[in-house]
Amino acid sequence: MAEITASMVKELREKTDAPMMECKKALTEADGDMAKAEEILRVKLGSKASKAASRVTAEGVVGIHLSADGKLGAMVELNCETDFVAKNDDFLALAAQLSELVANQNPADVAALSALKVDGKSVEEVRTALVGKIGENLSIRRFVRIDAKGKLASYVHGGSKIGVLVDLVGGEEALAKDLAMHIAASKPKALSRDGVPAEDVERERSIATQKAAESGKPAEIVAKMVEGTVQKYLKEVTLLGQPFVKDDKLTIEQLLKSKNASVASFNLYVVGEGIEKKVTDFAAEVAAQAAAAGR
């Protein structure tokens, strides 16, 4: 019988997010074989789909579908609980199906998408069945559908953790691909200054004002310092103001002018962005369960 160590239990828990004691039991049953223990957990937890709904889904993938002519595209964020499941073939296939459904049927929202049919079953029925099979909560977080003014280019990065759709008017395919990769790397918040939320600008202005006030300089100098900081912020968060990742001597705006092209719009999805992830203190959990067992 193989020795089941705390590090083995921790590794299995991180891979599957299963309860600690279930991980230990599975490893014991599998005689320390990690892959076999994962399979055992999938079987045991597969019947607990209804209990999974309350669990946080901050991992997952971005699925993208483009029409052959590049005039129509869709992007979907499909979430799960662990990175392990984000690599599951059935999970990846569902993400691809969803993006194609969005492109072809143009649902109004996630609820409408969930009601659409896939092979005679609703998307919600397919999702629920997959939750039962995999043993993790799965959720459709968001999607976007674009009828291009120009032509769409897409890019996915980091195991489909980052997805980009960019609508380029004019220019060549290589430029569109470069822009999509730039957006994934630099993560602009808006196309131009007009698209930056006013509250974000005011927050930066407030912080800059407080810092500048501490300098002890005259009011007119402080005002210039604040304005300079705000202008720098706007360049950093807007696509047109950012330096091009492949040539930082050019801004994206300058690059587009040199190619006689423009960006009609872009969309950037980063999986789990803004979702509060659960952080588990493994040592504290072990101590708590040990204390409970000793009562």
Side-chain angles (χ1 to χ4, degrees):
M1 178 67 70
E3 179 184 1
I4 309 303
T5 64
S7 62
M8 291 169 67
V9 175
K10 181 180 180 182
E11 181 182 351
L12 183 59
R13 176 174 172 77
E14 289 176 345
K15 285 184 174 182
T16 65
D17 205 34
M20 183 186 67
M21 295 309 296
E22 291 291 337
C23 290
K24 185 174 182 180
K25 289 177 184 177
L27 282 165
T28 301
E29 185 177 338
D31 197 22
D33 185 321
M34 188 66 67
K36 186 176 179 181
E38 289 177 21
E39 293 179 6
I40 291 170
L41 282 175
R42 297 301 170 198
V43 173
K44 286 186 175 180
L45 299 179
S47 62
K48 300 179 180 179
S50 63
K51 297 180 181 179
S54 64
R55 299 201 293 263
V56 175
T57 52
E59 299 295 340
V61 295
V62 175
I64 294 178
H65 178 82
L66 288 181
S67 62
D69 62 3
K71 288 292 186 178
L72 177 65
M75 183 163 61
V76 175
E77 180 180 347
L78 180 64
N79 298 118
C80 55
E81 296 177 51
T82 64
D83 188 53
F84 177 82
V85 166
K87 298 171 184 175
N88 177 280
D89 288 342
D90 291 335
F91 182 81
L92 293 171
L94 179 58
Q97 281 183 317
L98 292 173
S99 61
E100 187 172 359
L101 278 173
V102 170
N104 293 335
Q105 300 198 39
N106 195 20
D109 51 28
V110 170
L113 172 58
S114 298
L116 294 178
K117 296 292 184 179
V118 178
D119 298 327
K121 296 181 179 179
S122 71
V123 167
E124 178 57 21
E125 288 173 327
V126 173
R127 186 198 70 83
T128 301
L130 192 54
V131 170
K133 179 179 179 181
I134 292 177
E136 277 196 13
N137 190 18
L138 310 177
S139 63
I140 304 167
R141 185 185 184 195
R142 53 183 171 169
F143 66 80
V144 63
R145 181 180 185 273
I146 300 173
D147 284 303
K149 293 181 179 179
K151 191 171 182 179
L152 292 170
S154 66
Y155 178 67
V156 291
H157 181 74
S160 298
K161 301 294 185 187
I162 299 173
V164 176
L165 281 177
V166 58
D167 181 0
L168 181 68
V169 179
E172 299 178 349
E173 185 177 345
L175 173 62
K177 284 290 185 183
D178 279 347
L179 289 170
M181 293 176 68
H182 170 96
I183 291 164
S186 299
K187 299 179 179 61
K189 290 187 175 182
L191 175 60
S192 64
R193 298 180 178 212
D194 293 341
V196 180
E199 58 269 25
D200 289 358
V201 177
E202 286 309 308
R203 182 181 63 250
E204 292 300 318
R205 189 180 300 279
S206 175
I207 293 170
T209 299
Q210 293 175 54
K211 287 183 178 180
E214 294 172 358
S215 68
K217 294 181 179 180
E220 61 273 17
I221 300 298
V222 167
K224 290 181 180 179
M225 290 170 63
V226 170
E227 190 58 29
T229 300
V230 171
Q231 293 305 314
K232 181 182 177 184
Y233 166 75
L234 288 171
K235 288 180 181 179
E236 290 172 348
V237 301
T238 56
L239 177 60
L240 296 181
Q242 290 178 338
F244 182 34
V245 290
K246 294 177 72 173
D247 182 359
D248 61 10
K249 293 182 176 62
L250 280 177
T251 66
I252 295 297
E253 185 172 23
Q254 291 168 335
L255 172 67
L256 288 167
K257 285 182 179 179
S258 73
K259 302 292 185 179
N260 195 28
S262 63
V263 172
S265 67
F266 75 87
N267 291 88
L268 166 68
Y269 280 0
V270 179
V271 169
E273 186 177 37
I275 299 175
E276 185 175 350
K277 299 184 181 182
K278 179 180 70 176
V279 178
T280 302
D281 186 332
F282 185 75
E285 184 176 349
V286 171
Q289 294 208 15
R295 287 173 186 165

PDB file of all heavy atoms in Angstrom, residues 14 16 83 103 173 193 259 292:
ATOM      1  N   GLU A  14      -6.049  20.523  -5.463  1.00  0.00           N
ATOM      2  CA  GLU A  14      -5.857  21.662  -6.353  1.00  0.00           C
ATOM      3  C   GLU A  14      -6.281  21.326  -7.785  1.00  0.00           C
ATOM      4  O   GLU A  14      -6.773  22.176  -8.513  1.00  0.00           O
ATOM      5  CB  GLU A  14      -4.398  22.108  -6.331  1.00  0.00           C
ATOM      6  CG  GLU A  14      -4.004  22.789  -5.019  1.00  0.00           C
ATOM      7  CD  GLU A  14      -2.538  23.139  -4.944  1.00  0.00           C
ATOM      8  OE1 GLU A  14      -1.758  22.609  -5.762  1.00  0.00           O
ATOM      9  OE2 GLU A  14      -2.162  23.926  -4.059  1.00  0.00           O
ATOM     10  N   THR A  16      -8.648  19.065  -8.633  1.00  0.00           N
ATOM     11  CA  THR A  16     -10.069  18.724  -8.761  1.00  0.00           C
ATOM     12  C   THR A  16     -11.005  19.593  -7.942  1.00  0.00           C
ATOM     13  O   THR A  16     -12.216  19.598  -8.168  1.00  0.00           O
ATOM     14  CB  THR A  16     -10.292  17.269  -8.322  1.00  0.00           C
ATOM     15  OG1 THR A  16      -9.986  17.152  -6.906  1.00  0.00           O
ATOM     16  CG2 THR A  16      -9.406  16.311  -9.096  1.00  0.00           C
ATOM     17  N   ASP A  83      -8.779  24.707 -13.368  1.00  0.00           N
ATOM     18  CA  ASP A  83      -8.069  24.719 -14.637  1.00  0.00           C
ATOM     19  C   ASP A  83      -8.024  23.315 -15.244  1.00  0.00           C
ATOM     20  O   ASP A  83      -7.947  23.155 -16.462  1.00  0.00           O
ATOM     21  CB  ASP A  83      -6.652  25.249 -14.428  1.00  0.00           C
ATOM     22  CG  ASP A  83      -5.921  25.483 -15.731  1.00  0.00           C
ATOM     23  OD1 ASP A  83      -6.469  26.188 -16.594  1.00  0.00           O
ATOM     24  OD2 ASP A  83      -4.816  24.944 -15.906  1.00  0.00           O
ATOM     25  N   ALA A 103     -23.126  33.152 -32.945  1.00  0.00           N
ATOM     26  CA  ALA A 103     -22.916  33.752 -34.262  1.00  0.00           C
ATOM     27  C   ALA A 103     -24.109  33.516 -35.185  1.00  0.00           C
ATOM     28  O   ALA A 103     -24.572  34.434 -35.863  1.00  0.00           O
ATOM     29  CB  ALA A 103     -21.648  33.187 -34.893  1.00  0.00           C
ATOM     30  N   GLU A 173      -4.700  41.557 -43.710  1.00  0.00           N
ATOM     31  CA  GLU A 173      -4.949  40.530 -42.688  1.00  0.00           C
ATOM     32  C   GLU A 173      -3.835  40.490 -41.648  1.00  0.00           C
ATOM     33  O   GLU A 173      -4.089  40.302 -40.457  1.00  0.00           O
ATOM     34  CB  GLU A 173      -5.085  39.170 -43.362  1.00  0.00           C
ATOM     35  CG  GLU A 173      -5.465  38.044 -42.396  1.00  0.00           C
ATOM     36  CD  GLU A 173      -5.673  36.730 -43.095  1.00  0.00           C
ATOM     37  OE1 GLU A 173      -5.814  36.714 -44.338  1.00  0.00           O
ATOM     38  OE2 GLU A 173      -5.699  35.684 -42.401  1.00  0.00           O
ATOM     39  N   ARG A 193     -10.184  57.745 -26.199  1.00  0.00           N
ATOM     40  CA  ARG A 193     -10.443  58.428 -24.925  1.00  0.00           C
ATOM     41  C   ARG A 193     -11.929  58.573 -24.642  1.00  0.00           C
ATOM     42  O   ARG A 193     -12.349  58.534 -23.482  1.00  0.00           O
ATOM     43  CB  ARG A 193      -9.781  59.812 -24.943  1.00  0.00           C
ATOM     44  CG  ARG A 193      -8.284  59.743 -25.077  1.00  0.00           C
ATOM     45  CD  ARG A 193      -7.653  61.108 -25.100  1.00  0.00           C
ATOM     46  NE  ARG A 193      -6.199  60.990 -25.187  1.00  0.00           N
ATOM     47  CZ  ARG A 193      -5.350  61.856 -24.645  1.00  0.00           C
ATOM     48  NH1 ARG A 193      -5.817  62.911 -23.996  1.00  0.00           N
ATOM     49  NH2 ARG A 193      -4.055  61.682 -24.764  1.00  0.00           N
ATOM     50  N   LYS A 259      -1.156  52.733 -42.465  1.00  0.00           N
ATOM     51  CA  LYS A 259      -1.712  51.632 -43.269  1.00  0.00           C
ATOM     52  C   LYS A 259      -3.057  52.001 -43.894  1.00  0.00           C
ATOM     53  O   LYS A 259      -3.712  51.143 -44.500  1.00  0.00           O
ATOM     54  CB  LYS A 259      -1.894  50.389 -42.389  1.00  0.00           C
ATOM     55  CG  LYS A 259      -0.623  49.891 -41.713  1.00  0.00           C
ATOM     56  CD  LYS A 259       0.368  49.334 -42.713  1.00  0.00           C
ATOM     57  CE  LYS A 259       1.570  48.728 -42.003  1.00  0.00           C
ATOM     58  NZ  LYS A 259       2.542  48.160 -42.960  1.00  0.00           N
ATOM     59  N   ALA A 292     -12.012  18.676  14.457  1.00  0.00           N
ATOM     60  CA  ALA A 292     -13.388  18.191  14.439  1.00  0.00           C
ATOM     61  C   ALA A 292     -13.449  16.677  14.635  1.00  0.00           C
ATOM     62  O   ALA A 292     -14.331  16.156  15.326  1.00  0.00           O
ATOM     63  CB  ALA A 292     -14.053  18.570  13.125  1.00  0.00           C
TER      64      ALA A 292
END
